[in-house]
Amino acid sequence: MQLSPHAPDAASMATVYLHVRVLLGMVVGLGLTHLLRHFARIIERPRHCQIHWVHLCWAAFVFSYLLLFWWWEFRLSHLVRWNFNLYFFVALYALMQYLLCALIFPENLDGYASYRDYFYDRRKWFFGLLALVFAVDFIDTWIKGEAYFRSFGPEYVFRNLAYITGSLIAMWTRHPRYHAAFAVLGLLYHASWIAREFETL
């Protein structure tokens, strides 16, 4: 990004980022609250509606992805110069993840006998948005700089493309074995990625 002759210094950028993080924190907080409220509802009333373990795997995935987003966005505090376009982009990225939370756990299951029925009926919305989130993640990582993007190596590109491809397939198939395998492998690899790449800032 080109800096203007009157570009603020590093201290000013840090102050700007603290301002931006207020909005990001609100969105992340709302998403986490939504997920935790529904997890608690399942524990409190397990017979109220039948759970589905594949659905719960994706709920856990979204929960961890939201935490990971909040963790790695810290690096925006010192790797970029802020302007409104960047602020708008990051805000939209955060809002997309809140929508994932809302899609994986609806406010109620009216019209559905179980979470399984809901999950398969709304899979196109959920996996379509998940694929978009991983596509946007390429931009988010590149914003932090070419060196930062390349520091993850080819695995990062393969990872995102694998999730995008898997999500696009999941949009169009209801095959239980595919969804079971994608949920388990997706969650396990995600946990491995966090442990290897983001244990420390």
Side-chain angles (χ1 to χ4, degrees):
M1 296 181 183
Q2 296 294 324
L3 301 182
S4 70
H6 304 290
D9 57 24
S12 297
M13 280 292 102
T15 302
V16 170
Y17 184 62
L18 287 176
H19 178 72
V20 173
R21 275 176 66 91
V22 172
L23 175 64
L24 297 184
M26 289 173 59
V27 176
V28 170
L30 287 172
L32 293 176
T33 300
H34 181 85
L35 292 175
L36 290 173
R37 186 172 72 250
H38 285 276
F39 280 129
R41 184 177 299 173
I42 290 173
I43 295 171
E44 291 172 357
R45 297 186 291 174
R47 296 195 180 105
H48 180 69
C49 197
Q50 296 179 8
I51 63 173
H52 181 47
W53 70 269
V54 172
H55 169 262
L56 288 180
C57 280
W58 285 115
F61 180 93
V62 171
F63 180 83
S64 61
Y65 194 95
L66 201 59
L67 289 176
L68 178 60
F69 167 77
W70 185 242
W71 182 250
W72 71 24
E73 289 305 311
F74 176 80
R75 302 187 185 201
L76 285 173
S77 64
H78 59 280
L79 291 178
V80 301
R81 292 286 184 175
W82 282 92
N83 56 41
F84 182 80
N85 290 334
L86 177 57
Y87 163 72
F88 185 69
F89 168 80
V90 174
L92 284 180
Y93 187 29
L95 289 171
M96 288 169 59
Q97 293 177 62
Y98 175 78
L99 287 177
L100 280 176
C101 299
L103 285 171
I104 199 65
F105 275 129
E107 286 300 329
N108 60 70
L109 286 174
D110 292 347
Y112 298 99
S114 66
Y115 278 112
R116 185 183 189 282
D117 291 343
Y118 170 80
F119 175 75
Y120 284 109
D121 186 64
R122 308 301 289 176
R123 71 187 188 281
K124 290 186 178 181
W125 283 97
F126 175 76
F127 286 110
L129 183 58
L130 185 64
L132 182 60
V133 164
F134 275 101
V136 171
D137 184 66
F138 277 126
I139 303 173
D140 181 73
T141 303
W142 187 264
I143 282 173
K144 299 181 179 76
E146 182 178 352
Y148 179 79
F149 187 98
R150 295 186 183 280
S151 68
F152 293 109
E155 182 186 1
Y156 170 72
V157 176
F158 174 79
R159 162 190 175 263
N160 280 25
L161 290 178
Y163 278 113
I164 292 171
T165 302
S167 295
L168 292 177
I169 295 173
M171 289 176 63
W172 299 108
T173 180
R174 291 177 61 99
H175 200 292
R177 289 186 179 179
Y178 176 81
H179 280 278
F182 188 31
V184 172
L185 293 176
L187 184 59
L188 290 178
Y189 181 78
H190 185 61
S192 169
W193 175 260
I194 292 174
R196 290 182 291 111
E197 298 291 349
F198 291 97
E199 184 177 357
T200 62
L201 286 172

